[in-house]
Amino acid sequence: MEILYANILNLTWQHVVMWLIGGILIYLAIKKDMEPTLLLPLGFGTILVNLPLSGAVDRFVGEVLESEGALSTLFKAGISNELFPLILFIGIGAMIDFGPILSNPKLMIFGGAAQFGIFLTLCLASMFFEINDAASIAIIGAADGPTSIVVAQKLNSKYLGAIMVAAYSYMALVPIIQPPVIKLLTTKKERMIRMPYAAKPVSKLTRILFPIVITIVAGLVAPESVSLIGFLMFGNLIRECGVLDNLSETAQHALANLVTIFLGITIASRMQAAEFLQPDTLLILGLGLVAFIFDTAGGVLFAKLLNLFMKTKINPMIGAAGISAFPMSGRVVHKMGLAEDSSNFLLMHSIGVNVSGQIASVIAGGLILNFFM
């Protein structure tokens, strides 16, 4: 009973706020089925690390929460040396089918347009933070958690924890954040534009050469992106080579899911109330949201601009899929198209743009590193 009373006395409003945040994340994961592999570990971990512990209870879970405990070991083993992001990129690469953009290469330009928010946020963040921290914060707009971790780590940002939390939270909340922005910038008529998809055959040789060529080109343009783009393309090469099916299946499912669980729990360990409910952390979350919104807006507005000069119109919603949140953003755009017109199937176009955004975000991260390292 003494332990119970001691813990109750140690309870603060900050603990309660973090419990609510954790509860909301769990609710979204289970009730709304919204990217549960990210939200559920984040939500449960947030509650875990914000228990008001004392006495015997503190000793009981100390190995999880102490600076030399299990979560600290995971952080040192998988994030501080960038191992988890790189391994996860192998899994992501194995999931990606580059067929849609290889059969329709013009979709790749939307991936570049949807990185606008990164550079806008860099300018804004530099007003409040040192330039390396500002650059690390800006990359949150890529909606690419692994890239955000690698950039913040290489630039020695002292806000790595807050950046990780913001990047992964916004990735998981794509279905909440993107639709209002898309609707604000488009008319119903634009959202109903149909884009028939005519699949074009892509040779196996092209599929095999593509990841190799992209790795070389990205390495020449943005050398600091080589590790990320290389692991991403290696995962895709495993998929496309046709002789490593077992490795491809493992990378897509078991490996990617296991690393995602580790990342989610480890990132949640940085959501302790004392660190999370701070002005700097909240400002980083706000700037990350700005980056995310303007990346979405940049893709949509670029598509609208192209429509001024094209006879065959593009549904501007697909521009929003140019962020790197793969495949969440592509699915969001597809569902929005069906909501406006049940016969309007945008999935192949939106996934093609989403894939291009995955490549563009890594290159953007490499360019940021080239500028500021």
Side-chain angles (χ1 to χ4, degrees):
M1 291 299 292
E2 291 181 2
I3 293 173
L4 175 61
Y5 290 140
N7 285 322
I8 292 175
L9 289 175
N10 286 337
L11 184 66
T12 66
W13 67 268
Q14 289 95 335
H15 291 119
V16 175
V17 169
M18 298 309 294
W19 293 353
L20 288 173
I21 292 173
I24 290 171
L25 295 178
I26 293 173
Y27 169 80
L28 292 172
I30 297 174
K31 183 67 175 178
K32 299 297 185 181
D33 193 23
M34 196 176 293
E35 305 308 328
T37 54
L38 287 175
L39 290 178
L40 198 59
L42 279 176
F44 182 78
T46 299
I47 294 173
L48 175 65
V49 300
N50 286 286
L51 294 172
L53 304 172
S54 66
V57 179
D58 192 37
R59 290 193 296 275
F60 178 71
V61 297
E63 67 178 40
V64 175
L65 301 180
E66 287 177 359
S67 60
E68 298 302 322
L71 290 180
S72 177
T73 300
L74 275 177
F75 184 87
K76 292 176 182 176
I79 292 182
S80 62
N81 62 6
E82 302 162 16
L83 178 64
F84 286 168
L86 294 178
I87 292 178
L88 184 58
F89 258 43
I90 294 177
I92 294 173
M95 296 177 197
I96 292 176
D97 177 8
F98 286 117
I101 60 171
L102 289 174
S103 61
N104 191 7
K106 68 175 181 287
L107 294 178
M108 294 192 71
I109 60 177
F110 293 106
Q115 309 308 312
F116 168 73
I118 294 174
F119 300 98
L120 173 67
T121 305
L122 173 59
C123 298
L124 293 175
S126 64
M127 298 169 61
F128 304 98
F129 299 95
E130 294 179 3
I131 191 63
N132 277 18
D133 292 322
S136 302
I137 293 165
I139 208 66
I140 294 171
D144 185 342
T147 300
S148 297
I149 292 173
V150 169
V151 170
Q153 193 73 39
K154 286 183 177 291
L155 293 181
N156 295 315
S157 174
K158 54 181 172 288
Y159 299 106
L160 175 61
I163 290 167
M164 290 191 306
V165 168
Y168 273 92
S169 297
Y170 292 142
M171 277 177 62
L173 296 175
V174 162
I176 291 178
I177 299 171
Q178 281 204 304
V181 179
I182 294 171
K183 287 187 175 181
L184 181 66
L185 297 174
T186 57
T187 64
K188 184 175 181 64
K189 182 179 179 181
E190 288 175 326
R191 295 193 294 273
M192 292 180 68
I193 293 175
R194 293 193 176 191
M195 297 179 65
Y197 180 74
K200 299 177 182 178
V202 179
S203 69
K204 183 175 180 178
L205 178 61
T206 301
R207 289 177 177 272
I208 291 174
L209 287 177
F210 182 76
I212 298 172
V213 171
I214 288 293
T215 302
I216 294 171
V217 172
L220 294 173
V221 173
E224 293 297 334
S225 71
V226 166
S227 60
L228 283 171
I229 201 74
F231 275 65
L232 180 73
M233 293 301 160
F234 174 64
N236 187 253
L237 186 60
I238 290 175
R239 172 195 177 102
E240 300 295 352
C241 69
V243 294
L244 294 172
D245 290 343
N246 288 338
L247 285 183
S248 178
E249 287 294 318
T250 300
Q252 291 180 52
H253 300 105
L255 181 64
N257 289 336
L258 185 62
V259 174
T260 299
I261 289 173
F262 285 157
L263 269 173
I265 294 175
T266 308
I267 290 168
S269 71
R270 286 342 196 222
M271 293 182 72
Q272 296 179 45
E275 298 179 15
F276 189 82
L277 298 176
Q278 295 291 329
D280 282 351
T281 302
L282 298 177
L283 179 57
I284 288 169
L285 289 171
L287 287 167
L289 183 59
V290 168
F292 201 98
I293 289 172
F294 277 93
D295 272 349
T296 301
V300 173
L301 293 175
F302 183 71
K304 288 168 70 78
L305 176 64
L306 290 181
N307 277 344
L308 297 176
F309 308 98
M310 298 180 67
K311 291 182 179 180
T312 303
K313 303 301 181 184
I314 298 169
N315 190 312
M317 290 196 298
I318 70 167
I323 65 170
S324 177
F326 176 84
M328 295 89 85
S329 187
R331 290 202 301 256
V332 166
V333 170
H334 174 60
K335 288 180 179 179
M336 290 184 69
L338 290 177
E340 300 290 347
D341 177 355
S342 60
S343 299
N344 193 9
F345 297 96
L346 298 172
L347 184 61
M348 297 307 295
H349 298 288
S350 62
I351 288 295
V353 173
N354 207 179
V355 166
S356 74
Q358 183 74 69
I359 298 172
S361 70
V362 176
I363 293 176
L367 290 173
I368 290 286
L369 290 174
N370 286 345
F371 291 149
F372 299 108
M373 279 191 69

